Amino acid sequence: MLTVYIDMDDVLCDYSSKIKEHKQKNPDNPFPQSVPGFFRSLEPIDGALAAVEKLRKKTNVEVYILTAPSTKNPLSYTEKRLWVEDKFGYEMTHNLIICSHKGLLKGDILIDDHASGRGQEFFEGKLVHFGNEEYPNWEALLMSLPI
Ligand SMILES: [Mg+2]
């Protein structure tokens, strides 16, 4: 059994575009991620939802969503949980882990757009760096993922 962790912001949901959009609309607020409703309103990254469903169907893979909270916005914890149910259904909420230190988790693969900063550098399995040359998008990632 392979344990695969998947990050949320800029891997499953398009955090950066929404930040940009908020900053254009309201340049006086430097922290759009603290606006109520921000996290639940994020659009999925292209191909992300289908990729997760595909991985969940594999009998040798256990998929978890592993996301660090925006600790200054307590609503981020709730909204991330709601986003997961909105997009994948209630059952998937059992596999949502909200944790500020991703290196504490045991597993085989961590798919994340950052290689460090939230403990990714201490993850003992393989770090799949989403968005880099090798894994620029979900289509490419699924083709080269070693599972
Ligand atoms: Mg991220």
Side-chain angles (χ1 to χ4, degrees):
M1 183 62 80
L2 286 173
T3 302
V4 177
Y5 297 104
I6 307 177
D7 176 35
M8 283 182 82
D9 295 330
D10 288 332
V11 174
L12 292 181
C13 42
D14 193 353
Y15 176 88
S16 292
S17 295
K18 191 65 81 179
I19 289 275
K20 212 171 139 190
E21 190 187 309
H22 273 254
K23 283 190 172 173
Q24 279 168 352
K25 280 187 197 159
N26 189 358
D28 297 335
N29 180 5
F31 303 110
Q33 65 272 40
S34 64
V35 173
F38 176 87
F39 283 97
R40 195 175 183 183
S41 72
L42 299 181
E43 295 295 333
I45 293 278
D46 274 353
L49 303 186
V52 169
E53 296 299 359
K54 195 171 175 184
L55 291 173
R56 286 175 78 190
K57 283 197 183 99
K58 288 183 184 275
T59 51
N60 63 331
V61 176
E62 186 74 34
V63 178
Y64 290 90
I65 294 174
L66 175 56
T67 182
S70 180
T71 54
K72 287 190 175 163
N73 174 8
L75 293 173
S76 72
Y77 298 76
T78 300
E79 291 188 22
K80 281 169 178 279
R81 150 68 178 78
L82 290 167
W83 194 93
V84 168
E85 184 172 6
D86 289 344
K87 302 298 187 265
F88 300 111
Y90 171 72
E91 211 38 50
M92 192 62 185
T93 64
H94 293 291
N95 288 35
L96 169 64
I97 300 168
I98 301 178
C99 177
S100 294
H101 192 318
K102 297 181 180 183
L104 296 175
L105 280 296
K106 288 183 177 186
D108 300 288
I109 294 171
L110 169 62
I111 301 170
D112 204 298
D113 64 311
H114 288 291
S116 63
R118 300 293 198 144
Q120 294 95 332
E121 65 272 43
F122 301 107
F123 182 70
E124 291 173 356
K126 177 181 171 61
L127 178 72
V128 168
H129 195 166
F130 187 82
N132 76 358
E133 250 175 56
E134 199 180 354
Y135 308 105
N137 52 46
W138 272 106
E139 193 187 355
L141 191 151
L142 281 182
M143 297 230 293
S144 48
L145 204 60
I147 46 178

